[in-house]
């Protein structure tokens, strides 16, 4: 059970695998994500309607990437700045998905969030996908954060847990549409990123697959 504060019970299908990636695996993944960001540079998205900039910067890898701008949230096959297709999802992430997702098709999107010390992520649901039978698989790298998770209604009680570099978290089953967010980053808690900060990777299946398994 993760260390936590608050009263609510975590929904079924929520799973935290602390320290799933050792330092060597974290460094390899960090380097793979650096290569992704060379091909598909981090950019600062803006909120639908208001156009307010996010405090995190983002990029994606995979056939589809999650984007947000004044016209809304959506998945698209190309980087909004360069117009090029997103780079492939690193093999190590595909292996993690195979091992932990309990879902017979590959992920289609890997959102890369980069948090500097002051960045946050407000409470939200991951609901822009057509397929909710697959979990969201999230990997944390770099500085620790305070992650908050609630229920299926925004007003449900929430619980807070600290996520550290190398931790893997799954929102599957009943927790797939749980509200969640990042309240704060703890600067200086990891040496993985030379300039500090936190990287979060979320793997998602976006479309409903055909009947036949893809692997
Ligand atoms: C997200 O919900 O997109 C990010 C969660 C996190 O940074 O841990
Ligand atoms: Mn999310």
């Amino acid at each position: 059970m993760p260390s936590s504060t608050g009263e609510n019970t975590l929904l079924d299908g929520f799973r935290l695998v602390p320290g799933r990636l050792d330092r060597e695996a974290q460094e390899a993944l960090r380097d793979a994500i650096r290569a992704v960001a060379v091909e598909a540079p981090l950019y600062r998205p803006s909120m639908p309607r208001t156009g307010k900039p996010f405090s995190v910067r983002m990029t994606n890898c995979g056939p589809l990437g999650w984007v947000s701008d004044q016209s809304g949230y959506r998945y698209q096959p190309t980087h909004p700045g360069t117009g090029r297709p997103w780079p492939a999802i690193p093999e190590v992430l595909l292996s993690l998905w195979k091992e932990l997702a309990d879902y017979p098709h590959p992920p289609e999107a890997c959102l890369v969030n980069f948090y500097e010390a002051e960045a946050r992520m407000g409470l939200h649901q991951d609901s822009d996908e057509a397929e909710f039978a697959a979990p969201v698989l999230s990997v944390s790298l770099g500085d620790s954060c305070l992650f908050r998770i609630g229920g299926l209604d925004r007003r449900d009680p929430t619980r807070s847990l600290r996520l550290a570099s190398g931790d893997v978290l799954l929102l599957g089953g009943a927790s797939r549409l749980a509200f969640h967010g990042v309240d704060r980053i703890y600067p200086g808690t990891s040496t993985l990123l030379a300039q500090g900060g936190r990287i979060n990777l979320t793997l998602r299946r976006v479309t409903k697959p055909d009947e036949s398994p893809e692997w």
Side-chain angles (χ1 to χ4, degrees):
M1 193 41 87
S3 66
S4 60
T5 57
E7 296 296 314
N8 86 320
T9 314
L10 293 167
L11 293 166
D12 278 353
F14 172 86
R15 184 172 169 209
L16 176 61
V17 190
R20 172 60 187 75
L21 301 181
D22 63 15
R23 177 69 188 211
E24 196 183 341
Q26 292 171 40
E27 288 174 0
L29 185 52
R30 172 201 64 197
D31 294 347
I33 295 303
R34 269 196 194 134
V36 164
V38 168
E39 173 70 23
L42 287 166
Y43 64 96
R44 195 177 296 283
S46 50
M47 292 294 289
R49 293 187 305 280
T50 62
K52 189 169 175 264
F54 280 48
S55 62
V56 299
R57 285 184 292 153
M58 293 181 175
T59 188
N60 288 272
C61 46
L64 292 170
W66 185 87
V67 300
S68 174
D69 59 23
Q70 249 169 310
S71 54
Y73 303 137
R74 64 189 173 279
Y75 282 94
Q76 65 179 45
T78 54
H79 187 290
T82 67
R84 288 197 299 264
W86 305 104
I89 298 176
E91 204 52 49
V92 51
L93 292 174
L94 297 175
S95 307
L96 264 185
W97 177 271
K98 274 191 187 172
E99 177 193 325
L100 297 171
D102 192 23
Y103 182 77
H105 306 277
E108 295 172 299
C110 174
L111 174 63
V112 179
N113 287 317
F114 179 66
Y115 297 77
E116 285 166 295
E118 301 303 320
R120 310 266 177 276
M121 175 85 63
L123 213 58
H124 66 278
Q125 289 173 298
D126 287 7
S127 59
D128 298 317
E129 302 75 31
E131 174 65 313
F132 296 128
V136 172
L137 187 158
S138 151
V139 182
S140 294
L141 292 176
D143 286 335
S144 297
C145 79
L146 188 64
F147 180 82
R148 192 143 61 99
I149 177 145
L152 302 181
D153 188 297
R154 183 180 288 282
R155 292 157 301 184
D156 286 345
T158 62
R159 194 159 165 161
S160 295
L161 32 131
R162 206 170 150 130
L163 299 180
S165 195
D167 289 357
V168 174
L169 180 152
L170 289 127
L171 296 181
S175 75
R176 174 62 182 75
L177 288 168
F179 276 86
H180 60 279
V182 171
D183 287 336
R184 63 162 300 191
I185 302 296
Y186 296 103
T189 48
S190 167
T191 55
L192 187 71
L193 308 177
Q195 311 298 320
R198 172 174 184 263
I199 294 172
N200 174 257
L201 309 168
T202 43
L203 295 170
R204 298 105 182 252
R205 176 79 199 187
V206 179
T207 65
K208 282 192 177 294
D210 301 334
E211 293 302 304
S212 55
E214 290 175 30
W215 57 20

